[in-house]
Amino acid sequence: MRLYWKDAVKSLLPVAALAVYWFWGAGAIVKNSVTYDETVHITAGHVAFKERNFEFFGWDHPPLTEMVAAAPISLDLAGGSALLPVAHPSYAKGIRYQFSDLFIFQNRLDAGRMVTAARWAVFAVFSVLAVFCVWKVAGMLHPQAGPWALLFFISEPNMLAHATLATTDFGSAALCLAGFLTVLSYAKRPTYIAAVGLGLAMIALVAAKHTNVIALPVYAALFYLLRKDPGLKELRPGHLGAGVAAGTALLCVVYLGTDPSILFKGIWSTFNRANAGRSSYLMGSYSDSGWLYYLPVSIAIKTPLHLLLFMFLGCCLLALDAWRSRQRVWIFALLALPFFHITVACFSKVQIGLRYALPAYPCFVLIAGYAAAKISERRGTLIAVILGVCIAGSVGVWKCSPRFLTYFNEAVGGPRNGHHYLVDSNLDWGQGLGELAGYLKGKGVHSVYLSYFGVADPHYHGLAYIPIGMVNSGCLRPGDPQTSPLDEKRVYFAVSATNRKAVYFRDRDIFKWLDDIEPETVIGDSIFLYNLTGKTEALRRLSGLVEREGFAGETRRLAGL
C-alpha cells in the first residue's frame, strides 16, 4: 500500500509542477506590455490562417508557433471577430511592423485581449509539452531525476519569460527536447507509432523555428550511438516510410495545403541573414558582427546560480557515467545538444538576446536534475541541503515576478545592474510601457518626453508623449504636440534601457548627458525615468533632441526656460 501511494504521489508531480508554472506565468502574461516581436508573430499567424500567406514575415520565421499564437484570434475565441485590413497599403508593400501595429492596436477587438489570448495559447501548448518531456527524459537518466529536473525547470526565469510571450522562442525550446525524446523512444523501441512520432517531431521542430535545423545532426549522432547497442530490436523499412509520411502530412497541415517548400527557402534565408549582422551591446561595448563569447557570458549572468552549480556537477557526473557504462553512450548526446546549439549560435553575427540559446535550457535542467538525484541517493540528509540551495537560489527569480525577462543573477547584482551588461531582449523588450503609464498616473502626470524601445502604443496605455528617438521598426508614433509635458507638475523624461545605451543610434553619446542625473526610478528595471523639473541644463539638452523630432513649438518653450 505504501508503494502504491508513493507511486501515485510521484505521478502527480508533473501536474503539480505545471500548476506552479502556470501560477507564475499568469502574472507575466497579463501584466507585461506587448513586447517587440509579438505583434508581428501574432499577425503573421492570423494572416497565415485567413489569407494562406506564409511570407508575411518574409522567410524569417516558419508558421507553426505563430499559428498556435493566433489560433484564439483566428477561431474567434478572443471575444469577437478580428478585422484583417489587407487592403491597407502596408500589407501589399510588406511593411510588417506597421501593418501588425494596425492589426493589433486599431482593431475592433481590444489589443490587450488579443495579445493575452495569443500568449495563453503559446504558454498552454508548449508548457505542457515541455513539462512532459522533461519528466520523461529525466526518468531515463535516473529514477529520481524527474522531481529535481522539474524543480529546476519551474525556477528557471529565462524559459518562463519567453514561455509567457507570443513568440517562437519557448516553443522552439520545447520542441527541441521533444525531438530528443522521440529519437530515444524510437531507437529503444522501434514501432510504427514511435516512427510516426519521430516524423512528426522532426517536422514540428523546424516548422517552429528555422534555426532548429542545427539540432538534426545531434539527433542523427544520437540515433547512431543508440543503434550500436546489440540488444535493441532491428529496424523495419516500413518505419521510415511511416515517419516520412507523418512528417509530410504535418507539413501540409501547417502550410494549409499550399507550397511547403517555403520552409526550406526560409531555412536558407535565415542562415544567410545570420551573417548580415546587427547592432549589439555587451558590457559597454558595441558591435555589428557580435562576439564569440556573447552567449556564454549571457548564460553565465542570466542563469540562476544554483542551476549553474548543478549544471556543472551534472556535466561531470554524466560524462563519468557515460564513460564507465558503454550502454549509456547516448548521454553524450544530451551533453552535445546544448553545446552544439550554443556553439553554432556563437558564430552568428546577430546577437541580440539569450533567447537564441533557449533550446539549450531544457537540457540544462535535465543535467542539473541528474546531479541532484545522484548526490541525494548517496545520503538521504543531502536532500534537505539540495532543497535549501534550490530555494535560496530561487529567491531572486521570484523577486522578478512578473518581470522574468529582466532577470540577472546575484553575481552581477541582479536586474538593477543588468543594463550594464546586456539590453535588448535580455532586459528591455518594451514590456514596461504599461507599468510606466501606471506609475505616472499615480503621480498625477499624463504627458511625458519618451524615448521608447518597443512597439506598444503609449496611447493604448493612456499616455500622452513627445517622442524622442523612438525605436519601433517603423510603427507610426507621432506623439501629442498639443499636450506638453512642460504643463505637468513634474517634467519627466522616460528612456528605455536599450535606447539609454544607444544600441540602435549612430551617436552612442546621445544620452550621455543623463549620466550626471540620478533617475527617479527605473520602471520594471527596464525604463529609466528622469525628473527634469528645474534642471535648466538638462532641459536645454532635451530641447536639442526635441528639435530633431520636428516639434518647433515645444523646442521654443524648452529653450525659453
Side-chain angles (χ1 to χ4, degrees), residues 182-193:
T182 56
V183 172
L184 284 178
S185 301
Y186 177 72
K188 288 181 173 294
R189 190 179 179 186
T191 65
Y192 279 100
I193 293 177

Side-chain angles (χ1 to χ4, degrees), residues 202-247:
M202 294 301 106
I203 292 299
L205 183 70
V206 293
K209 200 174 184 72
H210 290 137
T211 51
N212 283 344
V213 73
I214 64 180
L216 298 183
V218 180
Y219 295 151
L222 168 62
F223 187 80
Y224 172 77
L225 291 173
L226 287 168
R227 293 311 306 168
K228 292 191 70 174
D229 187 344
L232 296 178
K233 297 179 181 179
E234 293 185 3
L235 302 179
R236 296 181 181 180
H239 292 172
L240 176 62
V244 171

Side-chain angles (χ1 to χ4, degrees), residues 36-51 53 55-58 82-107 114 455 472-477:
Y36 208 102
D37 286 349
E38 284 186 285
T39 57
V40 176
H41 284 303
I42 296 168
T43 306
H46 190 62
V47 167
F49 269 120
K50 296 299 184 180
E51 299 293 314
N53 177 359
E55 298 181 44
F56 172 76
F57 210 154
L83 295 174
L84 187 61
V86 292
H88 194 272
S90 60
Y91 180 76
K93 294 178 181 178
I95 308 175
R96 298 171 296 183
Y97 279 90
Q98 189 180 121
F99 181 78
S100 300
D101 181 65
L102 179 69
F103 174 69
I104 296 295
F105 289 105
Q106 299 182 47
N107 213 306
M114 285 198 288
V455 298
N472 55 23
S473 294
C475 295
L476 301 179
R477 298 286 183 263

Side-chain angles (χ1 to χ4, degrees), residues 10 134-135 137-152 365-374 376:
K10 187 176 180 180
V134 166
W135 179 255
V137 177
M140 296 178 181
L141 285 172
H142 190 282
Q144 304 303 321
W148 292 113
L150 289 176
L151 179 60
F152 288 114
V365 301
L366 287 168
I367 293 168
Y370 177 80
K374 288 289 286 185
S376 62

